[in-house]
Amino acid sequence: MMGRCQVDETAKVSSCSMNTMPMECYMVLNSFAQKTTIALLCSICGILCILENSLVLYLIFASPKIRKKPSYLFISSLALADVLASIVFVCSFLDFHVFNRTDSSKEIFLLKLGGVNTSFTASLGSLLLMAFDRYVCIYRPSEYKVIVTRKRAVVAMAVMWIATIITAFLPLMGWNCCRLNSACSELFPFVDSKYLSSWICLVMILLLCIVYTYVRVLWKAHKHTVYMEKRQSQAGKRNAKMRMDVTLAKTLVMVLAVVMTCWSPVLALMMYSLFVSLTDHIRKVFAFCSTLCLVNSMVNPIVYALRSRELRSSLRKTSSRFRKKMIASESSPTPEVDSTLKSLPIETICGDIVYNTHMNLLKA
């Protein structure tokens, strides 16, 4: 097996008939403990990811008020991408690495791989749209509703999804080492090394843009906090605004920490594979690190959606309706729930609090 799993060390040039590793060589989980561990990780994370993101989608589209807001359209795009990621990734990953099933043709394998790439790349693309939404919100709050409209949000989402799908399915459309008789990746069967390097660059650009945007937002929030600390009048309002900035900073730091923690190991190993011939141990590490991308999709709804007071209020309202149906009650929703909904501010950064204090933000 070891001899069959070696690639040309000098040029790493492979084709589907010569010097390429058989599909079995990519199935690096060879012990029962390894397969059981990764099956449990994928199953638990996948089920939680589907449930969480499906709940987010339901809460958004069940409320006419919420689904009209561009910010929640971006959140719904993220939730949809994460649902697809959990389904496609878990099914494909377990089928290949745990059950060791090979597809009948390379086209079927590349189709599955394209689905995985589409979902994860669309997830990052949605995060970037949300970062831009927050950037406009805090830097140009008075113009936010003019710049970020529902129509523009839908167009941006459509462009992002179309570009993501095209990019992800390029190997299926011909950019693969079998068609080009070029260097194959040691991590993914049939994938051209140049395509892999291009995809890595795309993901890194998305991540850097997300990090840069959120760092700018954090810096603006910090300046606003310092500005408000110098103000001695209107202590109550000052404290409320400072609490908002502190909450914003904590949320964005959490966002950056989760994204970088989940994606850095995978990208580092992918880049490493472009320059060095990999051992089975490194491939096993990569297989386990790949599940971190699924963890990212599982954590996203908690970080982005369920921290929203509007969505939490919608969840309470839905739960209240469900309980009343369970007890066969025909009474109207409790006043507490309704009053909570009416009194809640918009729970993105672009809330009424930020909008009403934009002059202070611009002065800061």
Side-chain angles (χ1 to χ4, degrees), residues 4 81 90-92 101 129 139 159-160 171 186 219 247 274 282-284 323 344:
R4 296 172 61 229
V90 171
C91 292
S92 302
R101 294 173 182 158
L129 291 178
Y139 271 88
V159 171
M160 183 274 295
E186 292 188 34
W219 176 245
T247 301
L274 297 175
I282 297 296
R283 293 193 186 95
K284 290 177 184 178
R323 285 195 302 269
L344 286 173

Side-chain angles (χ1 to χ4, degrees), residues 233-256:
S233 62
Q234 298 179 328
K237 291 184 179 179
R238 179 192 67 196
N239 292 336
K241 294 166 188 172
M242 288 178 61
R243 284 196 299 270
M244 179 193 69
D245 288 334
V246 171
T247 301
L248 169 62
K250 289 180 179 179
T251 299
L252 297 186
V253 168
M254 186 187 306
V255 167
L256 296 178

Side-chain angles (χ1 to χ4, degrees), residues 37-333:
T37 301
I38 208 152
L40 286 174
L41 284 174
C42 289
S43 299
I44 294 172
C45 292
I47 292 172
L48 289 175
C49 184
I50 293 172
L51 293 176
E52 292 172 357
N53 287 285
S54 297
L55 176 62
V56 170
L57 288 172
Y58 173 78
L59 293 177
I60 291 175
F61 288 98
S63 171
K65 180 181 177 182
I66 292 178
R67 68 170 178 256
K68 291 180 180 178
K69 297 176 182 178
S71 297
Y72 288 103
L73 288 179
F74 297 144
I75 291 178
S76 65
S77 175
L78 175 65
L80 176 61
D82 288 338
V83 168
L84 294 177
S86 59
I87 295 173
V88 179
F89 176 81
V90 171
C91 292
S92 302
F93 194 84
L94 294 184
D95 197 48
F96 188 82
H97 283 290
V98 175
F99 300 108
N100 298 138
R101 294 173 182 158
T102 57
D103 297 307
S104 58
S105 66
K106 69 178 178 62
E107 286 76 17
I108 294 178
F109 177 85
L110 292 176
L111 179 65
K112 293 179 180 179
L113 184 63
V116 174
N117 286 347
T118 296
S119 53
F120 281 127
T121 310
S123 180
L124 288 179
S126 300
L127 290 178
L128 181 59
L129 291 178
M130 293 169 62
F132 176 76
D133 175 70
R134 284 149 172 72
Y135 177 86
V136 174
C137 220
I138 200 165
Y139 271 88
R140 303 178 70 176
S142 61
E143 305 173 53
Y144 172 78
K145 292 184 179 179
V146 177
I147 297 175
V148 185
T149 63
R150 178 181 172 83
K151 181 178 179 181
R152 289 179 178 176
V154 172
V155 170
M157 287 167 50
V159 171
M160 183 274 295
W161 275 94
I162 292 173
T164 297
I165 292 172
I166 293 174
T167 302
F169 285 98
L170 283 176
L172 182 61
M173 293 186 284
W175 192 354
N176 57 73
C177 57
C178 295
R179 177 72 63 85
L180 301 177
N181 194 27
S182 57
C184 289
S185 167
E186 292 188 34
L187 292 174
F188 305 101
F190 311 122
V191 174
D192 180 72
S193 293
K194 291 183 179 179
Y195 170 81
L196 180 60
S197 62
S198 300
W199 188 83
I200 293 172
C201 290
L202 171 63
V203 171
M204 290 186 66
I205 290 172
L206 291 176
L207 289 174
L208 289 175
C209 289
I210 292 170
V211 171
Y212 173 78
T213 304
Y214 279 138
V215 167
R216 290 292 301 273
V217 172
L218 279 171
W219 176 245
K220 191 66 174 179
H222 169 72
K223 289 177 66 178
H224 184 220
T225 302
V226 173
Y227 173 79
M228 295 307 299
E229 285 177 345
K230 296 178 181 178
R231 305 281 293 181
Q232 299 301 321
S233 62
Q234 298 179 328
K237 291 184 179 179
R238 179 192 67 196
N239 292 336
K241 294 166 188 172
M242 288 178 61
R243 284 196 299 270
M244 179 193 69
D245 288 334
V246 171
T247 301
L248 169 62
K250 289 180 179 179
T251 299
L252 297 186
V253 168
M254 186 187 306
V255 167
L256 296 178
V258 169
V259 170
M260 297 309 297
T261 300
C262 293
W263 280 92
S264 295
V266 171
L267 292 176
L269 289 173
M270 284 183 181
M271 288 188 288
Y272 182 76
S273 72
L274 297 175
F275 304 101
V276 179
S277 183
L278 302 181
T279 62
D280 283 347
H281 177 71
I282 297 296
R283 293 193 186 95
K284 290 177 184 178
V285 172
F286 177 78
F288 278 92
C289 288
S290 298
T291 60
L292 288 175
C293 298
L294 186 61
V295 172
N296 186 203
S297 296
M298 182 186 70
V299 174
N300 279 339
I302 300 174
V303 175
Y304 289 95
L306 298 182
R307 289 171 63 91
S308 163
R309 282 183 292 177
E310 280 190 301
L311 286 181
R312 289 201 305 270
S313 179
S314 179
L315 178 60
R316 286 194 296 270
K317 187 176 180 180
T318 302
S319 300
S320 177
R321 289 174 178 171
F322 180 75
R323 285 195 302 269
K324 290 178 179 179
K325 287 182 179 179
M326 291 296 292
I327 61 176
S329 173
E330 297 181 357
S331 60
S332 58

